[in-house]
Amino acid sequence: MSVNFWIGDDYLKVSIVGATGYGGLELIRLLQNHPHLEIASLHTSSRFGRQIHEDSPHLLHMEYTLEEIVPEDIAKKADIVFLATPSGISVQLAPEFFKLGVKVIDLSGDLRLKNPGNYERWYKHSAAPSEILQEAVYGLSEWNASRIKHAKIIANPGCYPTATLLGLAPLYTEKWATGKDVIVDAKSGVSGAGKSPSAGTHYSEINENFKIYKVHTHQHIPEIEQQLGLWNEESQPISFSTHLVPMTRGIMATMYVKLHRHTSTEELIDLYNTVYENHPFVRVQPMDAFPCTKQVFGSNFCDIGIAFDERTNKATIVSVIDNLMKGAAGQAVQNANIMLGAEESAGLLNIPLYP
Amino acid sequence: MSVNFWIGDDYLKVSIVGATGYGGLELIRLLQNHPHLEIASLHTSSRFGRQIHEDSPHLLHMEYTLEEIVPEDIAKKADIVFLATPSGISVQLAPEFFKLGVKVIDLSGDLRLKNPGNYERWYKHSAAPSEILQEAVYGLSEWNASRIKHAKIIANPGCYPTATLLGLAPLYTEKWATGKDVIVDAKSGVSGAGKSPSAGTHYSEINENFKIYKVHTHQHIPEIEQQLGLWNEESQPISFSTHLVPMTRGIMATMYVKLHRHTSTEELIDLYNTVYENHPFVRVQPMDAFPCTKQVFGSNFCDIGIAFDERTNKATIVSVIDNLMKGAAGQAVQNANIMLGAEESAGLLNIPLYP
Amino acid sequence: MSVNFWIGDDYLKVSIVGATGYGGLELIRLLQNHPHLEIASLHTSSRFGRQIHEDSPHLLHMEYTLEEIVPEDIAKKADIVFLATPSGISVQLAPEFFKLGVKVIDLSGDLRLKNPGNYERWYKHSAAPSEILQEAVYGLSEWNASRIKHAKIIANPGCYPTATLLGLAPLYTEKWATGKDVIVDAKSGVSGAGKSPSAGTHYSEINENFKIYKVHTHQHIPEIEQQLGLWNEESQPISFSTHLVPMTRGIMATMYVKLHRHTSTEELIDLYNTVYENHPFVRVQPMDAFPCTKQVFGSNFCDIGIAFDERTNKATIVSVIDNLMKGAAGQAVQNANIMLGAEESAGLLNIPLYP
Amino acid sequence: MSVNFWIGDDYLKVSIVGATGYGGLELIRLLQNHPHLEIASLHTSSRFGRQIHEDSPHLLHMEYTLEEIVPEDIAKKADIVFLATPSGISVQLAPEFFKLGVKVIDLSGDLRLKNPGNYERWYKHSAAPSEILQEAVYGLSEWNASRIKHAKIIANPGCYPTATLLGLAPLYTEKWATGKDVIVDAKSGVSGAGKSPSAGTHYSEINENFKIYKVHTHQHIPEIEQQLGLWNEESQPISFSTHLVPMTRGIMATMYVKLHRHTSTEELIDLYNTVYENHPFVRVQPMDAFPCTKQVFGSNFCDIGIAFDERTNKATIVSVIDNLMKGAAGQAVQNANIMLGAEESAGLLNIPLYP
């Protein structure tokens, strides 16, 4: 039985490192109205001294001065620190906060892979120290809550892995999937590429265009396979590809899965409904309905559609999330809620913005 | 002094007529988390008996059965009814609810023009009864709060008039504008055209396209001029044009105004800051900053940028809103808040979704 | 050896039935500057008597009166008739033109499936007479030119089948593919859904949204499988899914193919380069380059990118086309060129519009 | 009478400096199929040695090696050089080519303003030598053809000035406009900002957003006013503002003009039809029709819609162009056609791409 020792009269204090990026800004939005968490400070590597709204006019009238990243100072103000930084930074910051006794929720990919060599092969950076990697708990909220609750470091999942793993989990954990020949064809809006301008995210190059990128080389592949392997020892490498959709937010993963047995769409939907019964953020679609990304826009939901294909004897699983929410800041706050013993959905149960 | 007699232990009950349109859906989103208002029932002219989420999958897991529009039945459940219907419907429904003693907030254009002939000329429908038109209070929240507070019927302003009037108000009410040769060049996202498919809102016709429409004939012209005339008797017809932007939400009105006197951008900003000092939803931009529609996306803010043009001796005023929020459902809830004596911003103070 | 008996001093005359739809408009655009073909007449089922530019303002100053569809009259004017009509119409029109001795290029799906029962199962219409279906030549230009040359009726391929089949052809015809477990994950711009407004193509529903549709039921599935079966008797049902991208033009098919043997990306690219050596409209990408839809926008090209995945032992093939060009009107004109003995690329070799 | 001395058996040779930018790429597209012009060489400041298709995959299979910018070498190959470079470069290059006897068509803003001080004030660069500025002919094709024909240097107009001036010209040259209180509210697609990535053109910042920018400070203001002053001495400073539309191509200028006399929409349309009678690229819309940007997409047309507003006694003029065509490369080729004595429309009379 867990003790919710953190919730009392006061808000818990949190700091955000990397506050001016898309992940950081989304955290600010979520924390502003959170019933238990309060922003203690916002940090950035280069713009400190400026007001947050100067570069982010949607925050006009919000008064926060951006501060330098000094872990010792942050430790005095914050109970939890969110690291919303590019890969390569948390490798260095996470150990410092760990030593200082500040809980860390890391939105980057730095702490997700248990095997340092694996990290270095896919990320092309030096990995974090092994003890930090071992300490880090993979923050797939629906599947790891008992460990998240007592974690000191959370490795918040990537956007593609969240959509993919929530979609595949019932088939893998219940051993319906053979674990062979799984195809994940994933599509993402452009905000997943972050806020820094580049040729690949220049408006005129993306608009009225559909691209495939990082074919067979995306760094989220080992993250997905690591978790699939934990669920099912027989799982083999997946085919995984990533595409850029001319929109800002949203991810869809379309998945083609070979099963151990012949089944039906009804049976599959039943399975998913059972597995996700007590998980408010996973919404299994009814028969013949398939989700679109817009139906989760601005929310923490992961909507899943399911069909069994009689002709090919495979299941088609379609999973959608908002990449900045369930795929980043939303799940990070969900994990913070779990850590502090609050309702998992505290501050997160808004209706998606539609249209 | 006003008595806030409505707020007690219980939520106030509201019904929405036209719940499946974009205005209705936005009301549902806002009311779900509202601290004082609760949805009593949802009504529609054709889909009653169905669940709201069947046609609106972003509401999956929300349990509301759509009901027929029977004013007598609604009157038993609701303290306030929101009419989120196409023009021509409130002409008939508003008198019925008025007779039944239910407060009405009408999001259509039916009750905004005091002169029935004016309505019939611009809307091409029969006008509502004169006594209803006289009873209706124009719901421009920032400028009419004292009357809104005691109103039985609110004519909620149109999207273009809201952006335009909030932008022009300080110049007109303080008599800086001459009232002559005012040009309002307005641009809107496509959700303003509603949810019914048409050739003009077909995706392939709108995408990668920018259109002008209803040149010199938009029904929002008399609504704007009626209010400008109340603020300044010398005001003359405005040049007003409307354009369709390939985006879903957002309105910008760019306005060119002749002033009685030479001035400076600083002076103008001071004027606007003074006028809007106590209005949380109007955010006057600082010097040299101009708003974009995205900075108010999904919020009830109206952001205003100002510049005086030395070369032409005119002021350029730029006003942006989210057409479904401050331009429709958001302002409707703001008006409900004022009517019930709550904080004007109750349930509305979220940060805009960005990016 | 073929005799190019049709090319002389004069243009060949063509008529377009369904001239106001997107396929018809694209044909008009292509035929305007064609060196050998000339528009004789434009036909429509409902707007006859109007000028083409009245509903299609991009054709302003072009003088064509829309005419009724009377096959006998068309036969007097035209050597070739393009049928750019919704499915169900060519079933009736094609036999009439065939009897009248007018060559037919049918852009609809009506004449593509040899098995009438198959057509009726997937299209939910009555099929064309068997002798017409047998007479019809499948117009996949790069693979059927010798039969197209002498055809009286062309069944112009669908947009998805064109992208898919051109991408799979080398692996199937050369027997590298096993024909098992092939996954085709296809994505299309919205113009593929045609010009008629509908809830599913309403701007506000599509913009900033990514959808999957017709899961396991798309009528292009039997068309693809029919051709794959001709190339390789061992081919089995494919997994095929279709998604809607928030853009107007463009299709990408991402294909995952099991091979009979271990290979390398280089070997695969060599194979494709060899197979498509003399085909100007198929452009095989160099090593490590993958096509985006925009690089073929407004052109008749099909660009193909290829990678062998060492980890899964499968080939990933990425094929892009402009759905209205190589996926419809462009390939139709290419087939007309082949039929009349002209250069296959006559009137079609423009550079894609970029950006 | 003009002698078309340049047209003979051979193509005229042209070089493009700045070939990898959007203006340069559009020139390549237009020149590929041009009946009289042929690309001699392509030049760039930084990527020389690479193939043009390496960074521009839509040109796959096109064989051009990018070369350094050495005016002496270019002079040996080219009769005309197009300068498609950012502002500040032609200031230096144009004098060199002039000395070498190569005709120059400059797409940048460097040579448009006759007054060097004016250039320096608005562009913040040093101006070109006065003799070069005097030599340069303003290339507004429809209004300056007699001088363009004999020009050695063409200052090709800006995109906004082209749309604005073609829209205002009949009212100014025929003295219907008072020249006072003219408002030009202009909107542009994002390709006008060029190919270099920046925070302001980052996809996630532009998509689903509408922005105003450079309020009262756009460098096209003096260009427009210079030409209006030549047409009508009494013309006064205009109010001119520029907005960014979430689309790639297209400009609309909405203009509000005070007239010397009361008139009607019919009379105005007659005036425009008369003035533009022999100009194939200007298409005056019929009564009650207003152009959208898409109806000129990918073409050299400028479409103009006109309405007289009885209520305000002003004319509303709406002018649309494709900013990369009539607003840049298209008009540049049109000017080259005029210079070489060919049909003004040679190589330019394609139907716009629609939808």
Side-chain angles (χ1 to χ4, degrees), chain D residues 129-181:
Chain D
S130 281
E131 64 272 23
I132 294 295
L133 295 179
Q134 291 315 310
E135 190 66 40
V137 171
Y138 190 60
L140 190 65
S141 317
E142 280 72 16
W143 290 94
N144 231 359
S146 60
R147 296 192 56 220
I148 291 165
K149 191 163 234 154
H150 305 293
K152 290 171 181 158
I153 304 177
I154 297 285
N156 210 58
C159 48
Y160 286 122
T162 297
T164 302
L165 291 169
L166 290 177
L168 294 179
L171 298 180
Y172 271 72
T173 60
E174 300 295 319
K175 308 291 186 284
W176 289 35
T178 64
K180 285 184 203 164
D181 293 323

Side-chain angles (χ1 to χ4, degrees), chain B residues 105-234:
Chain B
I105 299 180
D106 178 30
L107 280 74
S108 86
D110 282 9
L111 310 179
R112 296 178 197 149
L113 301 182
K114 292 301 174 195
N115 179 331
N118 217 8
Y119 177 82
E120 291 173 4
R121 186 156 57 254
W122 290 88
Y123 281 82
K124 322 284 181 201
H125 294 292
S126 300
S130 280
E131 66 272 23
I132 294 294
L133 294 179
Q134 291 315 313
E135 190 67 40
V137 170
Y138 190 59
L140 190 64
S141 318
E142 279 73 16
W143 290 92
N144 231 0
S146 59
R147 296 192 56 220
I148 292 166
K149 190 161 236 157
H150 305 293
K152 290 171 181 160
I153 304 177
I154 297 286
N156 210 56
C159 49
Y160 286 123
T162 297
T164 302
L165 291 170
L166 290 177
L168 294 179
L171 298 180
Y172 271 72
T173 58
E174 301 294 318
K175 308 292 188 282
W176 289 36
T178 64
K180 286 185 204 165
D181 293 323
V182 170
I183 311 283
V184 180
D185 191 283
K187 302 91 176 170
S188 176
V190 182
S191 62
K195 199 179 176 179
S196 297
S198 71
T201 54
H202 190 51
Y203 183 83
S204 302
E205 303 289 323
I206 292 287
N207 179 43
E208 189 68 10
N209 197 0
F210 187 84
K211 284 183 178 182
I212 189 169
Y213 69 104
K214 293 198 185 171
V215 178
H216 303 162
T217 63
H218 199 287
Q219 72 277 10
H220 286 168
I221 294 174
E223 179 181 342
I224 296 168
E225 293 182 348
Q226 172 178 281
Q227 186 61 43
L228 293 179
L230 291 174
W231 284 335
N232 188 331
E233 289 177 359
E234 293 176 6

Side-chain angles (χ1 to χ4, degrees), chain A residues 41-285:
Chain A
S41 58
L42 303 178
H43 302 266
T44 166
S45 60
S46 62
R47 304 182 186 208
F48 37 90
R50 290 172 68 85
Q51 289 291 307
I52 182 73
H53 64 74
E54 288 182 67
D55 298 307
S56 297
H58 70 292
L59 298 179
L60 205 66
H61 291 181
M62 198 174 211
E63 298 297 333
Y64 279 106
T65 306
L66 294 167
E67 301 174 35
E68 232 177 320
I69 306 167
V70 183
E72 291 73 18
D73 295 352
I74 295 173
K76 290 176 195 148
K77 306 178 202 173
D79 303 292
I80 302 180
V81 63
F82 291 96
L83 302 181
T85 43
S87 69
I89 309 293
S90 300
V91 164
Q92 288 154 30
L93 285 181
E96 297 194 49
F97 284 111
F98 181 65
K99 213 183 309 166
L100 289 161
V102 183
K103 294 186 187 254
V104 168
I105 299 180
D106 178 30
L107 280 75
S108 86
D110 282 8
L111 310 178
R112 297 177 196 151
L113 301 181
K114 293 299 176 197
N115 179 331
N118 217 7
Y119 177 82
E120 291 173 3
R121 186 157 56 255
W122 290 87
Y123 281 82
K124 322 284 181 202
H125 294 291
S126 300
S130 280
E131 64 272 23
I132 294 295
L133 295 178
Q134 290 316 311
E135 189 67 40
V137 171
Y138 190 59
L140 190 65
S141 318
E142 279 72 16
W143 290 92
N144 232 359
S146 59
R147 296 194 55 223
I148 291 167
K149 191 162 234 156
H150 305 293
K152 290 172 181 158
I153 303 177
I154 297 286
N156 210 56
C159 48
Y160 286 123
T162 297
T164 302
L165 292 170
L166 291 177
L168 294 178
L171 299 179
Y172 271 71
T173 59
E174 301 294 318
K175 308 291 187 285
W176 289 35
T178 65
K180 287 185 202 165
D181 292 322
V182 170
I183 311 283
V184 179
D185 191 282
K187 303 89 176 170
S188 175
V190 183
S191 62
K195 199 179 177 178
S196 297
S198 70
T201 55
H202 191 51
Y203 183 84
S204 302
E205 304 288 323
I206 292 288
N207 179 42
E208 188 67 12
N209 198 1
F210 187 84
K211 284 183 177 181
I212 188 169
Y213 70 104
K214 292 196 185 172
V215 178
H216 302 161
T217 62
H218 199 288
Q219 72 277 8
H220 285 168
I221 294 174
E223 179 182 342
I224 296 169
E225 294 182 347
Q226 173 179 281
Q227 184 62 43
L228 293 179
L230 292 174
W231 285 334
N232 188 331
E233 289 178 0
E234 293 175 5
S235 75
Q236 297 186 0
I238 59 169
S239 293
F240 179 79
S241 61
T242 47
H243 305 77
L244 219 45
V245 184
M247 63 184 188
T248 301
R249 285 172 181 246
I251 279 183
M252 179 183 284
T254 314
M255 297 170 274
Y256 307 88
V257 188
K258 245 187 215 169
L259 304 182
H260 276 302
R261 51 184 213 163
H262 190 274
T263 181
S264 67
T265 301
E266 288 87 341
E267 269 194 335
L268 284 167
I269 291 179
D270 281 351
L271 169 68
Y272 276 67
N273 273 326
T274 305
V275 167
Y276 286 121
E277 202 171 13
N278 297 310
H279 294 287
F281 292 122
V282 180
R283 303 190 299 187
V284 179
Q285 299 273 138

Side-chain angles (χ1 to χ4, degrees), chain D residues 270-316:
Chain D
D270 281 351
L271 170 68
Y272 276 69
N273 273 326
T274 305
V275 167
Y276 285 120
E277 200 171 13
N278 297 309
H279 294 286
F281 292 121
V282 180
R283 303 190 299 189
V284 179
Q285 299 273 139
M287 194 70 187
D288 292 328
F290 293 89
C292 60
T293 60
K294 201 165 198 167
Q295 72 184 51
V296 298
F297 189 89
S299 84
N300 201 47
F301 293 118
C302 173
D303 285 6
I304 298 176
I306 301 158
F308 182 70
D309 188 358
E310 293 284 347
R311 298 173 61 261
T312 61
N313 224 11
K314 296 197 183 74
T316 302

